[in-house]
Short mmCIF file of all heavy atoms in Angstrom, two decimals:
data_model
loop_
_atom_site.label_atom_id
_atom_site.label_comp_id
_atom_site.label_asym_id
_atom_site.label_seq_id
_atom_site.Cartn_x
_atom_site.Cartn_y
_atom_site.Cartn_z
N ILE A 103 -16.63 -34.15 9.55
CA ILE A 103 -16.61 -35.48 8.91
C ILE A 103 -16.40 -36.56 9.99
O ILE A 103 -17.08 -37.59 10.02
CB ILE A 103 -15.49 -35.55 7.83
CG1 ILE A 103 -15.83 -34.60 6.67
CG2 ILE A 103 -15.31 -36.98 7.32
CD1 ILE A 103 -14.67 -34.38 5.69
N ALA A 104 -15.43 -36.28 10.91
CA ALA A 104 -15.12 -37.26 11.96
C ALA A 104 -16.35 -37.52 12.84
O ALA A 104 -16.64 -38.67 13.20
CB ALA A 104 -13.95 -36.76 12.80
N LYS A 105 -17.07 -36.46 13.18
CA LYS A 105 -18.25 -36.63 14.04
C LYS A 105 -19.35 -37.42 13.33
O LYS A 105 -19.98 -38.30 13.92
CB LYS A 105 -18.80 -35.25 14.46
CG LYS A 105 -17.93 -34.59 15.53
CD LYS A 105 -18.51 -33.23 15.91
CE LYS A 105 -17.69 -32.60 17.03
NZ LYS A 105 -18.07 -31.19 17.25
N ARG A 106 -19.57 -37.10 12.06
CA ARG A 106 -20.58 -37.84 11.28
C ARG A 106 -20.14 -39.29 11.10
O ARG A 106 -20.96 -40.22 11.19
CB ARG A 106 -20.78 -37.20 9.91
CG ARG A 106 -21.27 -35.77 9.95
CD ARG A 106 -22.76 -35.69 10.16
NE ARG A 106 -23.20 -34.30 10.27
CZ ARG A 106 -24.41 -33.93 10.63
NH1 ARG A 106 -25.32 -34.83 10.95
NH2 ARG A 106 -24.74 -32.66 10.71
N ALA A 107 -18.84 -39.48 10.83
CA ALA A 107 -18.30 -40.83 10.61
C ALA A 107 -18.53 -41.69 11.87
O ALA A 107 -18.92 -42.86 11.79
CB ALA A 107 -16.82 -40.76 10.27
N ARG A 108 -18.29 -41.10 13.02
CA ARG A 108 -18.47 -41.79 14.29
C ARG A 108 -19.91 -42.30 14.40
O ARG A 108 -20.15 -43.43 14.79
CB ARG A 108 -18.17 -40.77 15.40
CG ARG A 108 -17.49 -41.32 16.61
CD ARG A 108 -17.21 -40.21 17.58
NE ARG A 108 -18.33 -39.26 17.68
CZ ARG A 108 -18.32 -38.18 18.42
NH1 ARG A 108 -17.26 -37.88 19.13
NH2 ARG A 108 -19.36 -37.38 18.48
N LYS A 109 -20.86 -41.44 14.02
CA LYS A 109 -22.28 -41.84 14.10
C LYS A 109 -22.60 -42.96 13.12
O LYS A 109 -23.32 -43.90 13.44
CB LYS A 109 -23.17 -40.63 13.80
CG LYS A 109 -23.20 -39.63 14.94
CD LYS A 109 -24.08 -38.45 14.58
CE LYS A 109 -23.99 -37.40 15.68
NZ LYS A 109 -24.57 -36.13 15.27
N VAL A 110 -22.03 -42.83 11.90
CA VAL A 110 -22.27 -43.86 10.88
C VAL A 110 -21.72 -45.20 11.38
O VAL A 110 -22.40 -46.24 11.30
CB VAL A 110 -21.60 -43.48 9.54
CG1 VAL A 110 -21.65 -44.63 8.53
CG2 VAL A 110 -22.27 -42.23 8.94
N LEU A 111 -20.52 -45.16 11.92
CA LEU A 111 -19.87 -46.41 12.37
C LEU A 111 -20.64 -47.04 13.54
O LEU A 111 -20.77 -48.25 13.65
CB LEU A 111 -18.42 -46.15 12.78
CG LEU A 111 -17.50 -45.69 11.64
CD1 LEU A 111 -16.11 -45.35 12.17
CD2 LEU A 111 -17.39 -46.77 10.56
N LYS A 112 -21.15 -46.17 14.41
CA LYS A 112 -21.89 -46.66 15.58
C LYS A 112 -23.16 -47.39 15.15
O LYS A 112 -23.57 -48.38 15.78
CB LYS A 112 -22.27 -45.46 16.46
CG LYS A 112 -22.62 -45.82 17.88
CD LYS A 112 -22.89 -44.57 18.69
CE LYS A 112 -23.46 -44.94 20.05
NZ LYS A 112 -23.88 -43.74 20.78
N ALA A 113 -23.75 -46.91 14.01
CA ALA A 113 -25.01 -47.51 13.54
C ALA A 113 -24.81 -48.82 12.79
O ALA A 113 -25.78 -49.48 12.43
CB ALA A 113 -25.73 -46.52 12.64
N GLY A 114 -23.56 -49.19 12.53
CA GLY A 114 -23.31 -50.45 11.84
C GLY A 114 -22.80 -50.25 10.42
O GLY A 114 -22.68 -49.12 9.95
N ASP A 115 -22.50 -51.40 9.74
CA ASP A 115 -21.91 -51.31 8.39
C ASP A 115 -22.85 -50.62 7.40
O ASP A 115 -24.07 -50.79 7.46
CB ASP A 115 -21.62 -52.73 7.86
CG ASP A 115 -20.42 -53.33 8.59
OD1 ASP A 115 -19.70 -52.54 9.27
OD2 ASP A 115 -20.23 -54.55 8.51
N LEU A 116 -22.23 -49.83 6.51
CA LEU A 116 -23.02 -49.14 5.47
C LEU A 116 -22.21 -49.17 4.17
O LEU A 116 -21.15 -48.55 4.08
CB LEU A 116 -23.28 -47.69 5.91
CG LEU A 116 -24.22 -46.88 5.02
CD1 LEU A 116 -25.68 -47.33 5.24
CD2 LEU A 116 -24.11 -45.39 5.33
N ASP A 117 -22.73 -49.89 3.18
CA ASP A 117 -22.01 -50.02 1.91
C ASP A 117 -21.76 -48.68 1.22
O ASP A 117 -20.74 -48.48 0.55
CB ASP A 117 -22.82 -50.92 0.94
CG ASP A 117 -22.72 -52.38 1.35
OD1 ASP A 117 -21.82 -52.68 2.19
OD2 ASP A 117 -23.52 -53.19 0.86
N GLU A 118 -22.71 -47.76 1.38
CA GLU A 118 -22.63 -46.48 0.67
C GLU A 118 -21.42 -45.64 1.07
O GLU A 118 -21.06 -44.68 0.38
CB GLU A 118 -23.90 -45.66 0.90
CG GLU A 118 -25.10 -46.13 0.10
CD GLU A 118 -25.76 -47.37 0.70
OE1 GLU A 118 -25.34 -47.80 1.80
OE2 GLU A 118 -26.67 -47.93 0.07
N VAL A 119 -20.78 -46.00 2.18
CA VAL A 119 -19.60 -45.25 2.65
C VAL A 119 -18.53 -45.18 1.55
O VAL A 119 -17.86 -44.17 1.37
CB VAL A 119 -19.05 -45.91 3.94
CG1 VAL A 119 -17.60 -45.54 4.18
CG2 VAL A 119 -19.91 -45.51 5.14
N ARG A 120 -18.40 -46.31 0.80
CA ARG A 120 -17.34 -46.34 -0.22
C ARG A 120 -17.61 -45.35 -1.37
O ARG A 120 -16.72 -45.01 -2.13
CB ARG A 120 -17.13 -47.77 -0.75
CG ARG A 120 -18.32 -48.32 -1.44
CD ARG A 120 -18.19 -49.75 -1.90
NE ARG A 120 -19.49 -50.26 -2.27
CZ ARG A 120 -20.12 -49.95 -3.40
NH1 ARG A 120 -19.54 -49.18 -4.28
NH2 ARG A 120 -21.32 -50.44 -3.66
N LEU A 121 -18.88 -44.89 -1.49
CA LEU A 121 -19.21 -43.92 -2.55
C LEU A 121 -18.52 -42.57 -2.33
O LEU A 121 -18.41 -41.76 -3.24
CB LEU A 121 -20.73 -43.71 -2.62
CG LEU A 121 -21.57 -44.94 -2.96
CD1 LEU A 121 -23.06 -44.60 -2.92
CD2 LEU A 121 -21.20 -45.45 -4.36
N ILE A 122 -18.09 -42.35 -1.09
CA ILE A 122 -17.40 -41.09 -0.75
C ILE A 122 -16.02 -41.03 -1.41
O ILE A 122 -15.51 -39.94 -1.71
CB ILE A 122 -17.25 -40.99 0.80
CG1 ILE A 122 -18.59 -40.67 1.46
CG2 ILE A 122 -16.19 -40.00 1.22
CD1 ILE A 122 -19.07 -39.24 1.24
N ASP A 123 -15.41 -42.19 -1.61
CA ASP A 123 -14.00 -42.26 -2.06
C ASP A 123 -13.62 -41.36 -3.24
O ASP A 123 -12.68 -40.57 -3.13
CB ASP A 123 -13.62 -43.71 -2.37
CG ASP A 123 -12.83 -44.31 -1.22
OD1 ASP A 123 -12.71 -43.62 -0.19
OD2 ASP A 123 -12.34 -45.45 -1.36
N PRO A 124 -14.35 -41.47 -4.38
CA PRO A 124 -13.93 -40.64 -5.53
C PRO A 124 -13.96 -39.14 -5.22
O PRO A 124 -13.07 -38.39 -5.62
CB PRO A 124 -14.98 -40.97 -6.61
CG PRO A 124 -15.67 -42.21 -6.17
CD PRO A 124 -15.53 -42.29 -4.68
#
Side-chain angles (χ1 to χ4, degrees):
Chain A
I103 294 168
K105 285 180 177 169
R106 299 279 177 190
R108 216 178 41 183
K109 287 179 185 167
V110 171
L111 295 176
K112 199 176 171 187
D115 287 345
L116 187 75
D117 285 346
E118 284 77 6
V119 159
R120 63 184 167 76
L121 298 177
I122 286 288
D123 259 6

